Amino acid sequence: MTLKSPSRTALVRRARRINRELARVYPDAHTELNFTTPLELLVATILSAQSTDRRVNMVTPVLFARYRSAADYAAANREDVEKIIQSTGFFRAKTTSLIGLGQALCDRFGGEVPSRLRDLVTLPGVGRKTANVVLGNAFGVPGITVDTHFARLSRRFGWTTQTDPVKIESEVGALFPRSEWTMLSHRLIWHGRRVCHARRPACGACEVSRLCPSFGIGPTDPEVARALVKEGPFS
């Protein structure tokens, strides 16, 4: 017998209960990239593609000390940048993005990082995910960050069946007040890194298991599941 999909009202209520539970479990959830300015966060987020926050945080102190403004990136020596960021992977493409970013900011935005999504996504190396990270964490503008963790968990929670990040952003965003979007993103990313893993989610140690329609895809025995939990921080 096919299980009946929950009504829209039931879906919204369950989604918001999960969010409240995750808020209780992760009261300090935040971006695990280190930054002090919008430009630093934008650069760090570009570097985080196909890398880890920990690795990015290892290279950015040197990078940020040397390149403090958009003009500094625009005038940067390619080899110098590549040497600093090499360990983050895809360093040649990332270097091209950072130099192009500096030039675009200087040419079109007076050297400042814009605070609108439509402007951010015109910059080299910046897509919606990166733009929403910057908007939510540097400017306080609510945004949903659909990374691999967010996409995986939103499907497991039954909030969406989509695989396209823009469609996921739209469908999940409709379930929550806009004011919750940034923190919701942090909570799902933290839970995905620590508990709800891609291959073997720690179902038996999950604080929202009773609300999760995917409960049981990972070990349900509490002792086995606890051994799968990864302790943060991941920065």
Side-chain angles (χ1 to χ4, degrees), residues 16 25 35 43 50 66 138 173 190 202-203 216:
R16 295 184 181 188
V25 176
F35 73 99
V43 168
Q50 305 298 316
R66 186 169 299 181
W190 275 43
C203 291

Side-chain angles (χ1 to χ4, degrees), residues 157-176:
F157 289 154
W159 298 350
T160 183
T161 59
Q162 302 292 339
T163 56
D164 178 75
V166 176
K167 292 179 179 177
I168 293 172
E169 181 184 337
S170 176
E171 290 194 0
V172 174
L175 300 175
F176 299 91

Side-chain angles (χ1 to χ4, degrees), residues 63-82:
L63 188 70
F64 293 164
R66 186 169 299 181
Y67 306 100
R68 297 180 179 274
S69 68
D72 291 339
Y73 285 101
N77 178 280
R78 169 175 290 274
E79 291 183 0
D80 291 343
V81 176
E82 288 181 353

Side-chain angles (χ1 to χ4, degrees), residues 15-16 18-23 141-145 150 172-173 175-188:
R16 295 184 181 188
I18 289 174
N19 183 39
R20 288 195 296 271
E21 282 298 301
L22 292 176
V141 178
I144 289 178
T145 303
F150 190 99
V172 174
L175 300 175
F176 299 91
R178 190 168 180 267
S179 60
E180 282 291 308
W181 288 356
T182 299
M183 289 308 301
L184 174 72
S185 300
H186 291 321
R187 292 163 191 153
L188 259 65

Side-chain angles (χ1 to χ4, degrees), residues 1-163:
M1 183 176 68
T2 302
L3 293 176
K4 186 179 180 180
S5 298
S7 68
R8 178 69 181 179
T9 299
L11 177 62
V12 170
R13 285 177 176 171
R14 187 177 68 192
R16 295 184 181 188
R17 285 182 65 192
I18 289 174
N19 183 39
R20 288 195 296 271
E21 282 298 301
L22 292 176
R24 179 185 61 81
V25 176
Y26 306 113
D28 301 320
H30 57 272
T31 179
E32 294 184 281
L33 291 169
N34 295 335
F35 73 99
T36 60
T37 67
L39 178 61
E40 287 185 355
L41 179 58
L42 182 55
V43 168
T45 308
I46 290 172
L47 294 180
S48 71
Q50 305 298 316
S51 188
T52 64
D53 290 355
R54 178 179 284 118
R55 172 55 57 184
V56 172
N57 289 339
M58 290 173 66
V59 306
T60 49
V62 174
L63 188 70
F64 293 164
R66 186 169 299 181
Y67 306 100
R68 297 180 179 274
S69 68
D72 291 339
Y73 285 101
N77 178 280
R78 169 175 290 274
E79 291 183 0
D80 291 343
V81 176
E82 288 181 353
K83 183 177 180 180
I84 295 171
I85 69 171
Q86 183 172 5
S87 64
T88 67
F90 301 95
F91 61 94
R92 292 188 179 89
K94 290 177 181 179
T95 296
T96 297
S97 292
L98 294 185
I99 293 174
L101 172 69
Q103 293 169 345
L105 290 175
C106 289
D107 292 344
R108 295 192 277 121
F109 299 103
E112 299 297 324
V113 176
S115 58
R116 297 188 301 184
L117 179 67
R118 66 186 183 189
D119 292 330
L120 284 166
V121 296
T122 68
L123 297 170
V126 181
R128 286 185 69 90
K129 181 180 77 172
T130 296
N132 278 324
V133 170
V134 174
L135 289 174
N137 297 283
F139 293 111
V141 178
I144 289 178
T145 303
V146 184
D147 73 346
T148 56
H149 300 293
F150 190 99
R152 180 176 71 253
L153 270 65
S154 61
R155 286 192 294 269
R156 285 180 177 172
F157 289 154
W159 298 350
T160 183
T161 59
Q162 302 292 339
T163 56

